[in-house]
Amino acid sequence: AAGVIQSPRHLIKEKRETATLKCYPIPRHDTVYWYQQGPGQDPQFLISFYEKMQSDKGSIPDRFSAQQFSDYHSELNMSSLELGDSALYFCASSLGGGANNEQFFGPGTRLTVL
Amino acid sequence: QQQVKQSPQSLIVQKGGIPIINCAYENTAFDYFPWYQQFPGKGPALLIAIRPDVSEKKEGRFTISFNKSAKQFSLHIMDSQPGDSATYFCAASMADSWGKLQFGAGTQVVVTP
């Protein structure tokens, strides 16, 4: 079965650079969530989109922005990168926005900021 | 501040043992409680989930017990196997939160042969 696809899988950037992470949800899924997981930490919710509109926002820095496109894929744009942004970034997708809808997680993008 | 408190941080059991992971919450608006399993370098995968109107749910070797009055829920892994060695996260979400999951801190479970 098709799963959530994230690219790139690994990314190395310098401080103050920008990064773009991409997420391709499971076909027919219309909701995308972004989570950040620091080393040894639990995933922290960043932002979500339902039908291309932002549906909820968590602890996402102002330096980050995201959007969902007409084909439902999503991109997380990160600017002025800091050392503390080094983490695993997960995208999850679900069919239908709202709670109680199973979220399927992608394999993650490991971002390292040097 | 962690809205879902999870314990223990780590757990070692022998094959066949029953690891038990506990979670507690304060926000009574939470109405969906999933458990996720995560292997190193992989994304979390949903194991089993429960809603507050049910006190217990079983799926295969995994059982959730839910105590609404105590605002606690737990995961039991029956007849644990070395392949169950992973990090387990409890989580919670609210009906009006568009699915935003609040995760516990995670429990690293090691099942020895």
Side-chain angles (χ1 to χ4, degrees):
Chain A
V4 176
I5 297 172
Q6 291 188 246
S7 68
R9 294 293 312 278
H10 302 272
L11 193 57
I12 299 175
K13 290 286 185 178
E14 300 277 345
K15 276 174 54 177
R16 292 180 288 277
E17 286 191 321
T18 61
T20 297
L21 279 52
K22 297 184 179 183
C23 169
Y24 298 86
I26 291 172
R28 296 197 313 277
H29 280 194
D30 51 14
T31 307
V32 167
Y33 312 82
W34 286 97
Y35 293 86
Q36 177 191 57
Q37 185 177 31
Q41 305 286 317
D42 56 289
Q44 295 289 317
F45 173 77
L46 292 177
I47 196 167
S48 64
F49 294 88
Y50 168 66
E51 284 290 344
K52 293 151 279 184
M53 299 288 288
Q54 181 181 307
S55 54
D56 204 349
K57 193 173 181 179
S59 49
I60 183 170
D62 291 341
R63 300 177 288 108
F64 295 7
S65 64
Q67 58 181 323
Q68 186 180 31
F69 295 85
S70 57
D71 64 350
Y72 295 105
H73 94 272
S74 178
E75 294 183 3
L76 178 65
N77 299 293
M78 310 159 71
S79 63
S80 302
L81 287 169
E82 302 174 356
L83 296 178
D85 296 329
S86 295
L88 262 174
Y89 289 83
F90 290 106
C91 170
S93 74
S94 69
L95 179 61
N100 308 335
N101 293 307
E102 181 179 350
Q103 293 182 32
F104 294 83
F105 282 74
T109 293
R110 183 174 295 280
L111 172 66
T112 302
V113 181
L114 302 176
Chain B
Q1 185 182 358
Q2 205 86 33
Q3 292 204 36
V4 180
K5 299 192 188 314
Q6 183 173 347
S7 63
Q9 188 175 6
S10 62
L11 201 49
I12 300 175
V13 298
Q14 287 191 325
K15 178 181 172 181
I18 306 176
I20 300 173
I21 306 169
N22 300 299
C23 287
Y25 64 98
E26 286 298 324
N27 191 340
T28 54
F30 287 140
D31 63 355
Y32 176 66
F33 302 89
W35 284 89
Y36 282 85
Q37 178 190 56
Q38 186 178 29
F39 294 104
K42 304 290 187 184
L46 180 67
L47 264 181
I48 185 172
I50 199 168
R51 291 181 175 77
D53 54 346
V54 177
S55 61
E56 186 177 275
K57 184 175 181 181
K58 292 182 182 181
E59 284 188 8
R61 295 184 293 107
F62 300 94
T63 299
I64 298 179
S65 297
F66 190 87
N67 186 330
K68 187 175 180 179
S69 60
K71 291 182 284 187
Q72 296 176 347
F73 57 110
S74 60
L75 176 71
H76 295 59
I77 306 175
M78 307 301 182
D79 187 28
S80 59
Q81 303 296 312
D84 296 329
S85 297
T87 299
Y88 293 81
F89 291 97
C90 60
S93 69
M94 292 178 266
D96 62 351
S97 69
W98 287 94
K100 175 175 67 179
L101 290 170
Q102 303 280 358
F103 283 88
T107 297
Q108 185 172 19
V109 173
V110 175
V111 181
T112 61

